[in-house]
Amino acid sequence: MHAAAVTLTVVALIHTLWSGLDEPGHALAFGALVAVGELARWGALPGEREPAPLGSAGALAYALLGRSAGEPTGQGVLQVIAVVTVAQLLAAVPRLVRGSGPDPDRAARRVLTVAFAAVCFQPLRDAEQFTGVLGEGPAYAAFLVGLLGLTALCDAVLAACVRAARTRYPYGSHLRDEVRGLPGIGSAVCATGAVMALGVAVAGLWALPVLCVPLLLTQVSFRRYAAVRATYRQTIASLARATEVAGYTPHGHARRVADLATAVGRELGLAGRELTVLEYAALMHDIGQLSLVDPLADGATARLPAAEQRRIARLGGAVVRQTGVDAKVAVVVERQADPYREQPLTARIVRAVNAYEDLCGEGVGGALGALEELRIGTGHDYQPQVVEALAGVLARGGPPRVGTG
């Protein structure tokens, strides 16, 4: 992906420098919009799906620009790529000065998605048959929106490829996660890109600053929502540490179980909201131990009688419900000790991963010994598919485990 983006960029820059810019004013205006949008990404929270929505919308609008104030425009595919790339490079200068360079994955995705949109649109804008059929009314607007939808899917495919390569989790899980995220900020970016292209076609470049305002407000609102979500996640993590502070479970146990459970969930195809519920439940899975008079050795519940495990799980679910956390999290916590055939998949994962962590802490022969114990228990306690997914994650060097922590 990086090689394709670099090749396209080099060819586009050489062609543009050789032939010169068509309509430099439009190139400057859209280039400035992309650069400003990239600069506006400062302050983005880690993991934010689209930290520069204004830059993305401006780049897509330039790729889909066929007219300006009623007059045809002359930029081609290579000029679009060159202008977007130069704008990204200029916006990266302040980050380089501060010692943090641009994200090469995002930059490559931006180049390839803009190239996709431009390649799909620019050759058609001059085709008389195409323009005669669509005209300049609702059909033309619907075409732009549809093309931007395909472009968003292209970006989702590329993003899933990057995440799968970096995390070594199944590609399908990442792709589902990316596609599910499209109706959020992705739809706002696509809609704004289409409106910008249509607005400039009718009113000229004066339409750009006016049409930027709604997306900027959306970006501010989205970041506030993301900040609230981050605070919520930190609150749950703090609640989960109550058992560690009270001495009922080893230090870091809840975080290790949550990380490994999330990895197993991805391995089994979970994505989006399901993964979030799984992570929260894994963090809070031992909170029912606060009801015990005396702490268990190393907080390990895997060896307790089934009835005692279920009692602790039910109490934990009741505690989670009192905290105001999503009821789905409470269901996973209170059902984690049931026979696996009666459990939802998330509860099966939490039970297997927690048992693996407990068994490793008992010194039954390390990871291999713990997995063997889980395989022996697949007749009643642990779902075989979950155990094998756990083995697959560990075989690829999954999240680190600290034995007795």
mmCIF file of all heavy atoms in Angstrom, residues 145-173:
data_model
loop_
_atom_site.group_PDB
_atom_site.id
_atom_site.type_symbol
_atom_site.label_atom_id
_atom_site.label_comp_id
_atom_site.label_asym_id
_atom_site.label_seq_id
_atom_site.Cartn_x
_atom_site.Cartn_y
_atom_site.Cartn_z
ATOM 1 N N VAL A 145 -22.928 11.140 -4.429
ATOM 2 C CA VAL A 145 -23.060 10.495 -3.121
ATOM 3 C C VAL A 145 -22.740 9.001 -3.231
ATOM 4 O O VAL A 145 -22.041 8.429 -2.381
ATOM 5 C CB VAL A 145 -24.474 10.710 -2.559
ATOM 6 C CG1 VAL A 145 -24.678 9.878 -1.288
ATOM 7 C CG2 VAL A 145 -24.703 12.188 -2.253
ATOM 8 N N GLY A 146 -23.247 8.358 -4.282
ATOM 9 C CA GLY A 146 -22.950 6.945 -4.474
ATOM 10 C C GLY A 146 -21.470 6.684 -4.688
ATOM 11 O O GLY A 146 -20.910 5.715 -4.141
ATOM 12 N N LEU A 147 -20.824 7.551 -5.459
ATOM 13 C CA LEU A 147 -19.394 7.391 -5.702
ATOM 14 C C LEU A 147 -18.602 7.592 -4.417
ATOM 15 O O LEU A 147 -17.622 6.871 -4.148
ATOM 16 C CB LEU A 147 -18.940 8.386 -6.769
ATOM 17 C CG LEU A 147 -17.460 8.349 -7.161
ATOM 18 C CD1 LEU A 147 -17.042 6.940 -7.561
ATOM 19 C CD2 LEU A 147 -17.180 9.326 -8.287
ATOM 20 N N LEU A 148 -19.019 8.548 -3.605
ATOM 21 C CA LEU A 148 -18.339 8.758 -2.332
ATOM 22 C C LEU A 148 -18.559 7.565 -1.394
ATOM 23 O O LEU A 148 -17.695 7.233 -0.590
ATOM 24 C CB LEU A 148 -18.826 10.048 -1.678
ATOM 25 C CG LEU A 148 -18.256 11.330 -2.286
ATOM 26 C CD1 LEU A 148 -18.924 12.553 -1.689
ATOM 27 C CD2 LEU A 148 -16.755 11.404 -2.080
ATOM 28 N N GLY A 149 -19.729 6.932 -1.478
ATOM 29 C CA GLY A 149 -19.961 5.728 -0.691
ATOM 30 C C GLY A 149 -19.000 4.616 -1.076
ATOM 31 O O GLY A 149 -18.433 3.930 -0.214
ATOM 32 N N LEU A 150 -18.774 4.445 -2.381
ATOM 33 C CA LEU A 150 -17.795 3.450 -2.837
ATOM 34 C C LEU A 150 -16.385 3.826 -2.373
ATOM 35 O O LEU A 150 -15.587 2.950 -2.012
ATOM 36 C CB LEU A 150 -17.833 3.350 -4.366
ATOM 37 C CG LEU A 150 -19.070 2.687 -4.969
ATOM 38 C CD1 LEU A 150 -19.001 2.742 -6.492
ATOM 39 C CD2 LEU A 150 -19.197 1.245 -4.501
ATOM 40 N N THR A 151 -16.091 5.122 -2.398
ATOM 41 C CA THR A 151 -14.776 5.569 -1.939
ATOM 42 C C THR A 151 -14.590 5.271 -0.454
ATOM 43 O O THR A 151 -13.510 4.862 -0.019
ATOM 44 C CB THR A 151 -14.604 7.072 -2.200
ATOM 45 O OG1 THR A 151 -14.816 7.337 -3.592
ATOM 46 C CG2 THR A 151 -13.226 7.543 -1.802
ATOM 47 N N ALA A 152 -15.659 5.479 0.336
ATOM 48 C CA ALA A 152 -15.583 5.158 1.768
ATOM 49 C C ALA A 152 -15.344 3.670 1.984
ATOM 50 O O ALA A 152 -14.581 3.272 2.868
ATOM 51 C CB ALA A 152 -16.866 5.604 2.466
ATOM 52 N N LEU A 153 -15.989 2.831 1.171
ATOM 53 C CA LEU A 153 -15.748 1.389 1.275
ATOM 54 C C LEU A 153 -14.308 1.042 0.908
ATOM 55 O O LEU A 153 -13.681 0.185 1.535
ATOM 56 C CB LEU A 153 -16.719 0.632 0.362
ATOM 57 C CG LEU A 153 -18.169 0.545 0.829
ATOM 58 C CD1 LEU A 153 -19.021 -0.135 -0.223
ATOM 59 C CD2 LEU A 153 -18.269 -0.208 2.156
ATOM 60 N N CYS A 154 -13.778 1.722 -0.120
ATOM 61 C CA CYS A 154 -12.378 1.515 -0.495
ATOM 62 C C CYS A 154 -11.453 1.860 0.662
ATOM 63 O O CYS A 154 -10.515 1.118 0.970
ATOM 64 C CB CYS A 154 -12.048 2.368 -1.725
ATOM 65 S SG CYS A 154 -10.308 2.360 -2.196
ATOM 66 N N ASP A 155 -11.732 2.976 1.344
ATOM 67 C CA ASP A 155 -10.902 3.376 2.482
ATOM 68 C C ASP A 155 -11.033 2.371 3.624
ATOM 69 O O ASP A 155 -10.052 2.062 4.314
ATOM 70 C CB ASP A 155 -11.321 4.767 2.947
ATOM 71 C CG ASP A 155 -10.450 5.282 4.076
ATOM 72 O OD1 ASP A 155 -9.243 5.476 3.859
ATOM 73 O OD2 ASP A 155 -10.984 5.468 5.191
ATOM 74 N N ALA A 156 -12.248 1.838 3.829
ATOM 75 C CA ALA A 156 -12.447 0.834 4.879
ATOM 76 C C ALA A 156 -11.639 -0.427 4.592
ATOM 77 O O ALA A 156 -11.050 -1.028 5.491
ATOM 78 C CB ALA A 156 -13.931 0.498 5.007
ATOM 79 N N VAL A 157 -11.590 -0.824 3.331
ATOM 80 C CA VAL A 157 -10.809 -2.007 2.951
ATOM 81 C C VAL A 157 -9.331 -1.779 3.233
ATOM 82 O O VAL A 157 -8.639 -2.642 3.783
ATOM 83 C CB VAL A 157 -11.037 -2.332 1.461
ATOM 84 C CG1 VAL A 157 -10.028 -3.373 0.976
ATOM 85 C CG2 VAL A 157 -12.455 -2.843 1.247
ATOM 86 N N LEU A 158 -8.839 -0.585 2.867
ATOM 87 C CA LEU A 158 -7.424 -0.275 3.108
ATOM 88 C C LEU A 158 -7.124 -0.206 4.603
ATOM 89 O O LEU A 158 -6.094 -0.712 5.065
ATOM 90 C CB LEU A 158 -7.061 1.044 2.435
ATOM 91 C CG LEU A 158 -7.121 1.067 0.907
ATOM 92 C CD1 LEU A 158 -6.862 2.475 0.386
ATOM 93 C CD2 LEU A 158 -6.117 0.094 0.315
ATOM 94 N N ALA A 159 -8.020 0.429 5.369
ATOM 95 C CA ALA A 159 -7.802 0.538 6.817
ATOM 96 C C ALA A 159 -7.792 -0.830 7.470
ATOM 97 O O ALA A 159 -6.988 -1.102 8.368
ATOM 98 C CB ALA A 159 -8.897 1.411 7.437
ATOM 99 N N ALA A 160 -8.681 -1.722 7.035
ATOM 100 C CA ALA A 160 -8.704 -3.077 7.586
ATOM 101 C C ALA A 160 -7.420 -3.831 7.247
ATOM 102 O O ALA A 160 -6.899 -4.587 8.071
ATOM 103 C CB ALA A 160 -9.924 -3.833 7.058
ATOM 104 N N CYS A 161 -6.893 -3.609 6.043
ATOM 105 C CA CYS A 161 -5.628 -4.251 5.664
ATOM 106 C C CYS A 161 -4.494 -3.801 6.582
ATOM 107 O O CYS A 161 -3.684 -4.612 7.045
ATOM 108 C CB CYS A 161 -5.285 -3.916 4.213
ATOM 109 S SG CYS A 161 -6.312 -4.748 2.988
ATOM 110 N N VAL A 162 -4.438 -2.501 6.853
ATOM 111 C CA VAL A 162 -3.381 -1.964 7.707
ATOM 112 C C VAL A 162 -3.488 -2.542 9.115
ATOM 113 O O VAL A 162 -2.504 -2.993 9.701
ATOM 114 C CB VAL A 162 -3.458 -0.424 7.740
ATOM 115 C CG1 VAL A 162 -2.514 0.141 8.801
ATOM 116 C CG2 VAL A 162 -3.110 0.154 6.375
ATOM 117 N N ARG A 163 -4.701 -2.537 9.671
ATOM 118 C CA ARG A 163 -4.881 -3.023 11.033
ATOM 119 C C ARG A 163 -4.612 -4.517 11.136
ATOM 120 O O ARG A 163 -4.035 -4.987 12.121
ATOM 121 C CB ARG A 163 -6.297 -2.702 11.508
ATOM 122 C CG ARG A 163 -6.559 -1.207 11.683
ATOM 123 C CD ARG A 163 -7.981 -0.922 12.093
ATOM 124 N NE ARG A 163 -8.303 -1.517 13.377
ATOM 125 C CZ ARG A 163 -9.527 -1.494 13.901
ATOM 126 N NH1 ARG A 163 -10.528 -0.933 13.231
ATOM 127 N NH2 ARG A 163 -9.751 -2.054 15.077
ATOM 128 N N ALA A 164 -5.021 -5.274 10.119
ATOM 129 C CA ALA A 164 -4.764 -6.712 10.141
ATOM 130 C C ALA A 164 -3.266 -6.995 10.079
ATOM 131 O O ALA A 164 -2.759 -7.898 10.751
ATOM 132 C CB ALA A 164 -5.479 -7.389 8.975
ATOM 133 N N ALA A 165 -2.534 -6.211 9.274
ATOM 134 C CA ALA A 165 -1.088 -6.412 9.167
ATOM 135 C C ALA A 165 -0.381 -6.060 10.467
ATOM 136 O O ALA A 165 0.603 -6.703 10.843
ATOM 137 C CB ALA A 165 -0.532 -5.578 8.017
ATOM 138 N N ARG A 166 -0.866 -5.045 11.168
ATOM 139 C CA ARG A 166 -0.211 -4.600 12.390
ATOM 140 C C ARG A 166 -0.565 -5.453 13.599
ATOM 141 O O ARG A 166 0.250 -5.647 14.488
ATOM 142 C CB ARG A 166 -0.555 -3.129 12.663
ATOM 143 C CG ARG A 166 0.084 -2.166 11.676
ATOM 144 C CD ARG A 166 -0.101 -0.728 12.131
ATOM 145 N NE ARG A 166 0.581 0.198 11.242
ATOM 146 C CZ ARG A 166 1.880 0.477 11.315
ATOM 147 N NH1 ARG A 166 2.614 -0.107 12.237
ATOM 148 N NH2 ARG A 166 2.427 1.331 10.483
ATOM 149 N N THR A 167 -1.802 -5.934 13.667
ATOM 150 C CA THR A 167 -2.250 -6.662 14.850
ATOM 151 C C THR A 167 -2.220 -8.170 14.673
ATOM 152 O O THR A 167 -2.308 -8.907 15.655
ATOM 153 C CB THR A 167 -3.688 -6.264 15.223
ATOM 154 O OG1 THR A 167 -4.568 -6.630 14.146
ATOM 155 C CG2 THR A 167 -3.791 -4.763 15.443
ATOM 156 N N ARG A 168 -2.151 -8.632 13.423
ATOM 157 C CA ARG A 168 -2.154 -10.064 13.103
ATOM 158 C C ARG A 168 -3.466 -10.738 13.482
ATOM 159 O O ARG A 168 -3.541 -11.952 13.606
ATOM 160 C CB ARG A 168 -0.979 -10.779 13.766
ATOM 161 C CG ARG A 168 0.376 -10.322 13.290
ATOM 162 C CD ARG A 168 1.480 -10.893 14.126
ATOM 163 N NE ARG A 168 1.393 -10.422 15.499
ATOM 164 C CZ ARG A 168 2.173 -10.859 16.487
ATOM 165 N NH1 ARG A 168 3.082 -11.788 16.242
ATOM 166 N NH2 ARG A 168 2.046 -10.390 17.710
ATOM 167 N N TYR A 169 -4.543 -9.959 13.641
ATOM 168 C CA TYR A 169 -5.865 -10.522 13.862
ATOM 169 C C TYR A 169 -6.536 -10.752 12.514
ATOM 170 O O TYR A 169 -6.120 -10.189 11.499
ATOM 171 C CB TYR A 169 -6.721 -9.582 14.719
ATOM 172 C CG TYR A 169 -6.192 -9.362 16.109
ATOM 173 C CD1 TYR A 169 -6.373 -8.150 16.759
ATOM 174 C CD2 TYR A 169 -5.513 -10.369 16.776
ATOM 175 C CE1 TYR A 169 -5.880 -7.945 18.039
ATOM 176 C CE2 TYR A 169 -5.018 -10.166 18.061
ATOM 177 C CZ TYR A 169 -5.207 -8.957 18.684
ATOM 178 O OH TYR A 169 -4.721 -8.759 19.944
ATOM 179 N N PRO A 170 -7.596 -11.548 12.446
ATOM 180 C CA PRO A 170 -8.247 -11.834 11.170
ATOM 181 C C PRO A 170 -8.714 -10.575 10.455
ATOM 182 O O PRO A 170 -9.267 -9.652 11.070
ATOM 183 C CB PRO A 170 -9.429 -12.724 11.572
ATOM 184 C CG PRO A 170 -9.015 -13.353 12.854
ATOM 185 C CD PRO A 170 -8.196 -12.317 13.558
ATOM 186 N N TYR A 171 -8.513 -10.553 9.144
ATOM 187 C CA TYR A 171 -8.882 -9.383 8.333
ATOM 188 C C TYR A 171 -10.389 -9.123 8.382
ATOM 189 O O TYR A 171 -10.829 -7.971 8.450
ATOM 190 C CB TYR A 171 -8.430 -9.613 6.888
ATOM 191 C CG TYR A 171 -8.941 -8.580 5.926
ATOM 192 C CD1 TYR A 171 -8.358 -7.317 5.848
ATOM 193 C CD2 TYR A 171 -10.014 -8.862 5.084
ATOM 194 C CE1 TYR A 171 -8.830 -6.370 4.968
ATOM 195 C CE2 TYR A 171 -10.489 -7.920 4.200
ATOM 196 C CZ TYR A 171 -9.896 -6.675 4.144
ATOM 197 O OH TYR A 171 -10.386 -5.739 3.269
ATOM 198 N N GLY A 172 -11.189 -10.193 8.363
ATOM 199 C CA GLY A 172 -12.639 -10.023 8.346
ATOM 200 C C GLY A 172 -13.164 -9.255 9.539
ATOM 201 O O GLY A 172 -14.083 -8.433 9.415
ATOM 202 N N SER A 173 -12.599 -9.501 10.707
ATOM 203 C CA SER A 173 -13.028 -8.790 11.908
ATOM 204 C C SER A 173 -12.752 -7.294 11.792
ATOM 205 O O SER A 173 -13.594 -6.463 12.126
ATOM 206 C CB SER A 173 -12.310 -9.369 13.136
ATOM 207 O OG SER A 173 -12.597 -8.615 14.294
#
